[in-house]
Amino acid sequence: MFLSSEHRRHPEYRRGFLDMAGAATGIAAWGLMTGVAMVKSGLSTLEALLMALTVFAGSSQLAAIPLIQAGAPVWVILATGLCVNLRFVVFSAHLRPYLMHLPRRQRLVIGYLAADLTYVMFTKRFPQPASNTAERAAQMAYLAGNSGINWVSWVGSCVLGVVLANAIPTAWGLGFAGILALVGIVASLATSPMRWMSAGVAGMAAVAAFALPLKLNILVAIAAAVAVCLLLEGRLPGAAPREAK
């Protein structure tokens, strides 16, 4: 569906493309750094390319890389990736009414291409699921244009980083550039006190637990942020109120 000429001709395809184009440079810098880091972590070029092309999850890739370097057990790497990506369970539950009219294979493709910024931009553009065929066409066209450039900018730059890993000097500081890009993306998503709170708690917990082996401070940070946000749910401005029981 994402290569459909019908979608490309729709005005919403261009709108989705342009909305994501503004963030594509930061995503590409992050992807380039991730590609380099995968090779520097000890993965072979083939392994890194396979990961770049199949694991479309930047935060999970970055979380897994230091664990691979540290020689962590496979279950720790998988558990970390699972925890980092748990937010997509919430995303998919929210997007379900938008997508249930599609065949399963198309929903699987959309699930693979789902990303944080795509979700945020799509739901901001379309706060409610479509109620007729014309609205569904507009929503799918927007999603195609938006997620298409997001995938190309990430995977393309990640593959480029893998290929050029041994030719890029460490002195260029791509790791810091990637961190800056990630900070910019995170800051753009922190639009409520609850989100700022979760980011702050996760950061403090990660620093406090830094001495743990196998980079387990990442798991501690995720667990602490989720726990605090569940406790504060409905009490901070911008937080969803709890349902009455």
Side-chain angles (χ1 to χ4, degrees), residues 188-231:
S188 69
L189 297 175
T191 55
S192 70
M194 179 65 85
R195 291 176 180 177
W196 279 109
M197 175 68 73
S198 65
V201 169
M204 289 186 291
V207 172
F210 185 76
L212 290 176
L214 302 177
K215 304 293 182 179
L216 290 175
N217 61 317
I218 297 173
L219 289 178
V220 171
I222 295 168
V226 171
V228 170
C229 288
L230 287 175
L231 289 173

Side-chain angles (χ1 to χ4, degrees), residues 26 96 187 221 245:
R96 186 176 186 274
K245 296 184 179 179

Side-chain angles (χ1 to χ4, degrees), residues 31-122:
L32 183 66
M33 180 273 293
T34 302
V36 173
M38 285 193 292
V39 175
K40 300 295 185 182
S41 71
L43 293 178
S44 68
T45 300
L46 180 60
E47 290 169 336
L49 285 174
L50 184 62
M51 187 177 188
L53 292 171
T54 58
V55 184
F56 184 53
S59 53
S60 287
Q61 287 173 254
L62 287 176
I65 288 169
L67 296 176
I68 294 172
Q69 284 181 308
V74 173
W75 73 265
V76 173
I77 299 172
L78 294 177
T80 301
L82 175 64
C83 289
V84 170
N85 275 349
L86 279 177
R87 66 193 186 280
F88 286 102
V89 176
V90 179
F91 294 172
S92 62
H94 186 195
L95 291 175
R96 186 176 186 274
Y98 292 87
L99 306 174
M100 282 308 295
H101 66 283
L102 297 173
R104 179 178 296 176
R105 60 184 179 83
Q106 292 188 6
R107 297 200 305 270
L108 289 173
V109 172
I110 292 173
Y112 166 71
L113 293 173
D116 298 271
L117 286 181
T118 297
Y119 167 77
V120 170
M121 292 178 182
F122 178 76

